[in-house]
Amino acid sequence: MTRTQRPATGGALAAAERRHLLRRLAFAATPALEEAVRGRSSADALAVLVRAARDTPHPERPEAARGVWRNPGLRFAGVSDEDFEALLDRQAPGVRGAVDDVRRWWLAELLTSPAPLRENLVLFLHGVFGSSTGPVDAPHALHGRNALVRRRCLGTVPDLLAALVVDPAMMIQIGMDGHRRLRVSDRAAKLVLDHWTVGEGAYGPRDLEELSRALTGWRLVAPEGRGPAREIARRAPRAAQRTGLVPTFRPADADAGPKTILGRTRPFDARSAVRWLAAQDATARRFGRLLLAHLGVEDDGGALETRLAAVYGATGGSLEALLREIVRSEAFWSDASRWTLIKSPVHLAAGACRQLGIASPPVAEIARWLEASGQTLFDTPNNGEGGWPGQEAWVSPPSRLTVRYHLAAALAGRLPPLGLERPDPAGGEAAGAPGVPVDATLREASPAELLSRLDPAPGLDAAAIEREVSGVASPEGRSTFIQRVMMSPEYQLA
């Protein structure tokens, strides 16, 4: 056992261990969270975070997602191609604005929620399943999926998948809306197999075909009595025919015959098929592996992954049980797992807001910074077919790393035009120090106290930075000091 490893049944966490756990599970080690887990074991500290995740009220629905969604891009019978294209052009700014409103709504929750573990898990699952606001441009659907994942992020994977497979946003995302018996496509089934469950290489062509049959019969329609008064063009794309977001099963469009999926023959439908896939050992291993990567745990040899698969099987795929096994493991506390996780842009921003006690962060500016940093909420890479790669991808190419250096400016609501140069914080306000807001407890803090609150990896010297920055006791000097720390390689790690 190395110097910093802990036994799986360790006692009360030391200060450094408390911070390690909170950095990985709750975005940052804040004074309030450190006090809440003081004197507790790793499992008991996790229980504190889980209790907050379960007990904290969920955020209110954003304005853009209230009421009944009405498709602004419906194509009615008799409308010419030119008129329809003109309609879409007129509607586009409003649609983009509504999507951005929902994006900022979630970002505000990530930055300020008193249930950081919950938001961290929502972010994790968002990356697992993938997302794109290209096909899913309905704010009500985006909010609905986000709220569904938030409700179920500490439950079981089979229950989560059974709900997601008929969730409007996911039905649109994978192409299941209008997936009918007589025109079966394999795309929806492939996404479920590759990104939701067993993963590539764990199934054959027959499994893909049979799952595709099981996913048929579902359609999104308007609430009863709320459909359009005019006739919809029958040959229009599905997106231009979608009258609402109510998942509705139509037996006439479904393939009701028996299907054989991964060796089992049943009259599978969408929900029972994904539950069966969720019960597979390959799914258990994949979720454990992805969760370890998200939390930055080095599992040399795969022993912890194997234990997580066993816990998954024994608990019916409980995500809470997987977390508990991880924080009780020696791998989580090993030297190899400390200060090795390159923070995602969301992790950077959420951690900084919490460390500095920014109660009302400039969400629009931080959203713009996130986009430039390569992590736009609701838009994972490859048009939503997969999650963010993480680690070195966050700091490559060098231009992406340069954007990260402007975090302090984003927190101050003073992000310069993108196409950013590396800032020079040494000159204070004259050189553009951003005026980073801090809570009352840090307004008289010493450089050493500021450095401790920002919690970078070992290697930074508060006195050395103070010598570089003039007037650290002034608000301008304090902001420059914070910016200098946030630009350091050490601050990029958790």
Side-chain angles (χ1 to χ4, degrees), residues 103-174:
R103 185 178 283 126
R104 289 191 289 266
W105 163 85
W106 183 22
L107 177 56
E109 191 70 7
L110 283 159
L111 300 178
T112 64
S113 170
L117 173 63
R118 186 173 72 192
E119 293 311 304
N120 198 0
L121 288 174
V122 176
L123 183 68
F124 162 66
L125 293 166
H126 176 68
V128 169
F129 301 123
S131 177
S132 172
T133 57
V136 190
D137 60 358
H140 298 67
L142 291 170
H143 166 265
R145 176 181 54 191
N146 187 272
L148 186 156
V149 172
R150 184 173 289 105
R151 289 193 304 271
R152 295 181 178 271
C153 65
L154 283 164
T156 69
V157 172
D159 285 348
L160 173 61
L161 295 186
L164 275 177
V165 78
V166 292
D167 169 75
M170 295 311 289
M171 287 176 63
I172 298 170
Q173 179 73 39
I174 67 177

Side-chain angles (χ1 to χ4, degrees), residues 285 298-306:
R285 285 188 169 274
E298 291 295 324
D299 181 27
D300 188 29
L304 180 53
E305 180 187 319
T306 298

Side-chain angles (χ1 to χ4, degrees), residues 128-420:
V128 169
F129 301 123
S131 177
S132 172
T133 57
V136 190
D137 60 358
H140 298 67
L142 291 170
H143 166 265
R145 176 181 54 191
N146 187 272
L148 186 156
V149 172
R150 184 173 289 105
R151 289 193 304 271
R152 295 181 178 271
C153 65
L154 283 164
T156 69
V157 172
D159 285 348
L160 173 61
L161 295 186
L164 275 177
V165 78
V166 292
D167 169 75
M170 295 311 289
M171 287 176 63
I172 298 170
Q173 179 73 39
I174 67 177
M176 211 177 99
D177 177 21
H179 187 45
R180 298 159 67 179
R181 176 172 55 87
L182 297 181
R183 51 173 187 174
V184 171
S185 164
D186 287 344
R187 181 177 181 274
K190 183 168 176 57
L191 292 177
V192 168
L193 287 163
D194 287 350
H195 301 302
W196 294 29
T197 57
V198 294
E200 294 184 47
Y203 61 91
R206 175 72 182 278
D207 301 308
L208 179 64
E209 179 183 347
E210 297 287 82
L211 176 60
S212 190
R213 294 174 54 217
L215 299 179
T216 57
W218 287 89
R219 195 172 182 87
L220 295 171
V221 301
E224 188 174 355
R226 304 297 291 270
R230 296 171 59 187
E231 181 185 357
I232 303 297
R234 294 184 179 182
R235 295 187 179 276
R238 179 66 192 125
Q241 296 187 50
R242 188 174 296 121
T243 58
L245 297 173
V246 179
T248 304
F249 183 69
R250 296 183 171 180
D253 291 336
D255 189 329
K259 299 103 182 168
T260 302
I261 301 174
L262 296 181
R264 173 172 288 186
T265 302
R266 293 285 189 278
F268 285 115
D269 61 9
R271 291 190 182 98
S272 60
V274 297
R275 282 188 177 278
W276 169 238
L277 291 168
Q280 302 302 306
D281 184 64
T283 303
R285 285 188 169 274
R286 182 168 176 273
F287 266 86
R289 187 164 56 246
L290 290 171
L291 190 53
L292 290 175
H294 181 74
L295 297 177
V297 181
E298 291 295 324
D299 181 27
D300 188 29
L304 180 53
E305 180 187 319
T306 298
R307 291 209 308 278
L308 290 177
V311 169
Y312 183 107
T315 62
S318 166
L319 288 162
E320 181 182 351
L322 295 182
L323 286 174
R324 192 159 49 244
E325 185 68 20
I326 288 172
V327 302
R328 288 170 56 88
S329 71
E330 293 180 357
F332 182 81
W333 303 102
S334 69
D335 286 335
S337 293
R338 300 214 188 191
W339 301 115
T340 56
L341 179 66
I342 298 174
K343 296 175 186 175
S344 72
V346 168
H347 192 157
L348 269 175
C353 285
R354 293 165 189 280
Q355 289 164 339
L356 298 174
I358 304 176
S360 299
V363 174
E365 288 290 272
I366 295 172
R368 191 161 67 92
W369 177 84
L370 286 175
E371 181 178 1
S373 301
Q375 195 173 24
T376 302
L377 295 178
F378 293 116
D379 280 298
T380 59
N382 302 317
N383 295 316
E385 295 188 9
W388 293 291
Q391 289 298 82
E392 286 79 8
W394 292 131
V395 293
S396 179
S399 59
R400 183 168 285 179
L401 182 59
T402 300
V403 172
R404 291 167 73 96
Y405 293 149
H406 288 265
L407 172 61
L411 297 179
R414 294 176 53 185
L415 190 66
L418 300 179
L420 302 169

